[in-house]
Amino acid sequence: MKSNNGSPVLIKKHHLEDWIGRIYTTFCVSLLVIVIVSMMYFVASKGLTTFIKDGVNVGDFLFGTKWDPNGDNPVFGALPFIVGSFATSLLAALIASPLSICAALFMNEIVPSWGKRLLQPVIELLAGIPSVVYGFVGLSVIVPLFRDVFPGQGIGIAAGSLVLSVMILPTITSIASDALSSLPKGLKESSYALGATRWQTIYSVIIPTVMPSLLTGVVLGMARAFGEALAVQMVIGNAPHVPRSLFESASTLTSVITLNMGNTVMGSVQNNALWSMALALMVMTFIFVIVVRLLERRHQL
């Protein structure tokens, strides 16, 4: 029966909308889980084929220093590329972290009135620039500069790290800025009430309080740098050996995969070895995510 004010009809309509929303949300979440699990299974099955079917030793793959897939006795040592990926990511994080944290402090603690109006558009612009533009600028500006100042040809770990540091600046700065802006005002006011200066408050109260969030931003920036391919590929030299200096050409996992995947036959040993590198990248991504979760849990405690 329909009442005079029509409330039963409205209740039924709300129930119908609620069920449609639940079904749609459940479908989207299920599809997302299926896609993620499928990608993980596909990469893992392809990557493990190198060791299970092709007989490549895991230790030789991870710690071997020679990469010669086309020789009479093919050798698949991925250590030079692993070292290159870690070296560029760590050095980029070391360069970008102080700059990003200082930029976030400038915007939120020193001159919050006009600091964000000045730096926020610049940070957003850096985040929107394509990777190939970073690589082209690095190839046209950074590499010739290093060639004139330092020994070598200018390409190498240093050039790749400098390009990556600019690329991960927006990530670390945004997370640090959000952490600083979410601090309760009473925390700083209490420090000022005890007679602390602005800088004493910053390095004795604010930075220790938001340190887990700052470390989270650094780890996410490293994850971003670890998975970058095109920009690093253009300035690092792509040499398959362990570099002995920052100004010697090297290579990364992503560079090797992008350069060689299209030139291999699907199912061949070399193709499977490239998938094993992709599996290593995926595992490192999981490790970065776990570290971020641990830091967030520490921040909540």
Side-chain angles (χ1 to χ4, degrees):
M1 294 289 295
K2 180 179 179 181
S3 61
N4 293 332
N5 56 6
S7 58
V9 177
L10 291 176
I11 292 175
K12 289 183 179 179
K13 182 179 180 181
H14 291 326
H15 278 296
L16 179 62
E17 292 175 350
D18 182 64
W19 276 105
I20 293 175
R22 289 184 180 183
I23 294 172
Y24 179 73
T25 304
T26 303
F27 171 77
C28 292
V29 173
S30 301
L31 181 61
L32 181 62
V33 171
I34 291 173
V35 171
I36 294 175
V37 173
S38 300
M39 291 178 59
M40 293 171 54
Y41 173 77
F42 181 77
V43 175
S45 61
K46 287 285 188 178
L48 293 176
T49 302
T50 307
F51 315 114
I52 298 174
K53 180 181 177 181
D54 299 327
V56 178
N57 186 271
V58 178
D60 294 338
F61 180 80
L62 294 177
F63 303 106
T65 58
K66 185 177 181 180
W67 176 265
D68 186 16
N70 299 317
D72 296 333
N73 295 316
V75 181
F76 302 94
L79 182 63
F81 315 126
I82 297 175
V83 171
S85 295
F86 274 104
T88 52
S89 301
L90 290 173
L91 188 56
L94 289 176
I95 297 172
S97 297
L99 299 176
S100 301
I101 294 173
C102 290
L105 289 171
F106 181 83
M107 289 190 296
N108 292 275
E109 302 298 332
I110 300 177
V111 283
S113 58
W114 56 272
K116 282 193 174 182
R117 292 200 301 269
L118 176 66
L119 286 182
Q120 197 71 33
V122 178
I123 293 172
E124 294 174 355
L125 178 64
L126 289 176
I129 297 177
S131 299
V132 65
V133 176
Y134 282 108
F136 184 73
V137 172
L139 192 62
S140 303
V141 179
I142 297 175
V143 171
L145 177 64
F146 283 178
R147 184 188 302 126
D148 296 336
V149 176
F150 301 102
Q153 298 297 319
I155 55 177
I157 298 292
S161 300
L162 192 57
V163 171
L164 283 178
S165 65
V166 180
M167 296 182 67
I168 66 177
L169 263 172
T171 301
I172 305 177
T173 304
S174 298
I175 296 175
S177 180
D178 292 341
L180 292 171
S181 61
S182 64
L183 283 175
K185 293 183 178 180
L187 186 66
K188 293 182 288 185
E189 293 174 355
S190 300
S191 178
Y192 293 144
L194 292 174
T197 63
R198 174 190 290 176
W199 289 108
Q200 288 174 331
T201 301
I202 288 175
Y203 68 74
S204 298
V205 177
I206 294 177
I207 292 180
T209 303
V210 299
M211 183 58 69
S213 298
L214 298 181
L215 293 177
T216 298
V218 173
V219 173
L220 289 176
M222 287 182 59
R224 167 79 170 87
F226 199 84
E228 178 57 40
L230 184 57
V232 181
Q233 175 184 322
M234 296 175 68
V235 298
I236 200 171
N238 305 305
H241 59 78
V242 178
R244 292 170 293 180
S245 71
L246 297 178
F247 304 99
E248 186 176 350
S249 60
S251 188
T252 61
L253 292 171
T254 51
S255 299
V256 176
I257 293 173
T258 54
L259 287 173
N260 296 289
M261 185 63 77
N263 300 321
T264 59
V265 179
M266 184 66 69
S268 62
V269 181
Q270 183 178 358
N271 183 268
N272 293 334
L274 296 177
W275 280 109
S276 298
M277 293 184 184
L279 178 61
L281 286 172
M282 188 174 68
V283 171
M284 284 306 306
T285 302
F286 291 158
I287 293 175
F288 284 130
V289 171
I290 292 173
V291 172
V292 169
R293 294 301 181 189
L294 292 176
L295 292 173
E296 289 178 349
R297 182 179 300 178
R298 176 188 172 187
H299 180 64
Q300 292 173 358
L301 294 176

